[in-house]
Amino acid sequence: MNTGLYLYGIFPDPIPENIELQGLDKQPVHNQVVDGFSFLYSDACQEKYLASRRNLLTHEKVLEQAMHEGFHVLLPLRFGLVVKDWETIQKQLIEPYKEQLNELFQKLAGQREVSIKILWDSKSELQAMMESNHDLKQQRDNMEGKNLNMEEIIQIGQLIESNLAARKQTVIQEFFNNLHPLAKEIVESDPMTEEMIYNAAFLIPWETESVFSERVEAIDRKFGDRLRIRYNNFTAPYTFAQLAS
């Protein structure tokens, strides 16, 4: 049963109907132009969609397939957006945000979003840090087996923490120095896990992705087994397509 329209994203140009895309509930994806903006949508069979892995991947796949077909400039919409009709979109999205939408399209023209997440083994890094810092290691070893007061415990803890933070910053700075010159914008986000030390999205020209990727690989080789790098070179530009509230 059709309960409305499920929206995936907005493009500046219409997408031909001969590009076959399958959306949520295995519904065919269509294109609807509203006031000059082209919306990818499918008929919604539910009033609300569960943010399950399958549904999230389907939402992403629709956008990525459209991008693979050459429609690179898009504003991805958040998962689960169901509206009753196009009049709702006209009144609630286009009329209040039309200027911002056009500005975002101009900003994203010829650009793509890539992301990097850097992870390391904190225990291994701590051990390596101690082995490379003889004075700190000796100071810690001298305290073992002793009854330390709170001030001494805090002091050695702060020394270890600050040295580990400096070690982490050296890694991050290597990525920043090599990748920053290629990016139009960078958005750094909080790490998602304890082992993650860096989490950032980069807005780069489409044609420079191969150079960007080569630099990531070169840094990876430099650090070897110390790091695990998650590099996503093809994703809808969620980070850089935010409407100001």
Side-chain angles (χ1 to χ4, degrees):
M1 186 180 80
N2 184 352
T3 62
L5 307 167
Y6 183 92
L7 305 182
Y8 299 92
I10 316 172
F11 293 77
D13 302 301
I15 292 180
E17 286 291 334
N18 62 359
I19 297 178
E20 296 183 3
L21 303 173
Q22 188 179 82
L24 292 172
D25 299 316
K26 298 183 178 180
Q27 294 294 307
V29 175
H30 303 288
N31 176 76
Q32 176 72 31
V33 178
V34 182
D35 199 6
F37 297 98
S38 182
F39 287 81
L40 273 191
Y41 76 98
S42 59
D43 290 334
C45 300
Q46 306 174 45
E47 292 183 0
K48 186 176 182 180
Y49 282 87
L50 177 68
S52 65
R53 176 177 172 79
R54 176 185 295 179
N55 287 343
L56 289 168
L57 288 176
T58 299
H59 182 99
E60 293 295 323
K61 187 177 180 180
V62 167
L63 295 174
E64 290 179 6
Q65 284 183 327
M67 292 170 67
H68 273 298
E69 292 290 341
F71 295 88
H72 294 158
V73 183
L74 85 147
L75 305 180
L77 295 170
R78 71 177 186 272
F79 171 82
L81 182 57
V82 177
V83 297
K84 291 184 178 180
D85 49 41
W86 295 113
E87 186 179 356
T88 303
I89 286 296
Q90 177 70 39
K91 290 183 177 180
Q92 297 185 10
L93 178 60
I94 295 178
E95 289 181 6
Y97 297 107
K98 186 173 185 177
E99 185 176 346
Q100 285 192 52
L101 291 172
N102 283 318
E103 288 174 354
L104 285 174
F105 279 133
Q106 292 175 13
K107 168 185 170 180
L108 296 174
Q111 309 293 319
R112 68 193 293 172
E113 177 174 330
V114 298
S115 65
I116 290 179
K117 295 175 174 58
I118 308 171
L119 301 94
W120 71 4
D121 186 321
S122 54
K123 292 182 180 179
S124 297
E125 285 296 321
L126 178 60
Q127 183 177 352
M129 182 194 73
M130 286 299 183
E131 294 300 327
S132 64
N133 192 327
H134 179 73
D135 291 341
L136 182 60
K137 183 176 184 299
Q138 187 174 40
Q139 185 175 351
R140 187 198 64 177
D141 292 346
N142 290 339
M143 290 182 170
E144 289 185 358
K146 296 181 180 179
N147 292 324
L148 304 177
N149 58 41
M150 185 59 66
E151 184 178 347
E152 290 172 324
I153 293 172
I154 292 174
Q155 182 181 24
I156 189 63
Q158 288 177 337
L159 280 172
I160 292 173
E161 185 177 347
S162 63
N163 277 272
L164 193 60
R167 191 177 179 91
K168 181 186 301 183
Q169 188 57 40
T170 299
V171 173
I172 294 172
Q173 196 64 42
E174 183 75 22
F175 280 85
F176 188 86
N177 290 345
N178 281 276
L179 302 178
H180 180 269
L182 297 177
K184 181 179 179 181
E185 286 188 29
I186 301 175
V187 173
E188 297 178 343
S189 302
D190 293 334
M192 301 166 66
T193 67
E194 187 176 343
E195 299 294 277
M196 188 178 295
I197 63 172
Y198 191 62
N199 179 16
F202 300 77
L203 189 66
I204 65 173
W206 273 89
E207 65 273 12
T208 64
E209 192 284 322
S210 59
V211 178
F212 194 94
S213 177
E214 288 171 1
R215 292 194 183 184
V216 172
E217 291 175 2
I219 301 171
D220 188 23
R221 290 193 297 270
K222 179 177 180 178
F223 285 102
D225 294 337
R226 281 184 63 190
L227 306 178
R228 286 175 289 132
I229 302 172
R230 297 177 185 170
Y231 173 52
N232 188 345
N233 70 341
F234 194 87
T235 182
Y238 284 98
T239 307
F240 301 99
Q242 300 288 330
L243 283 173
S245 57

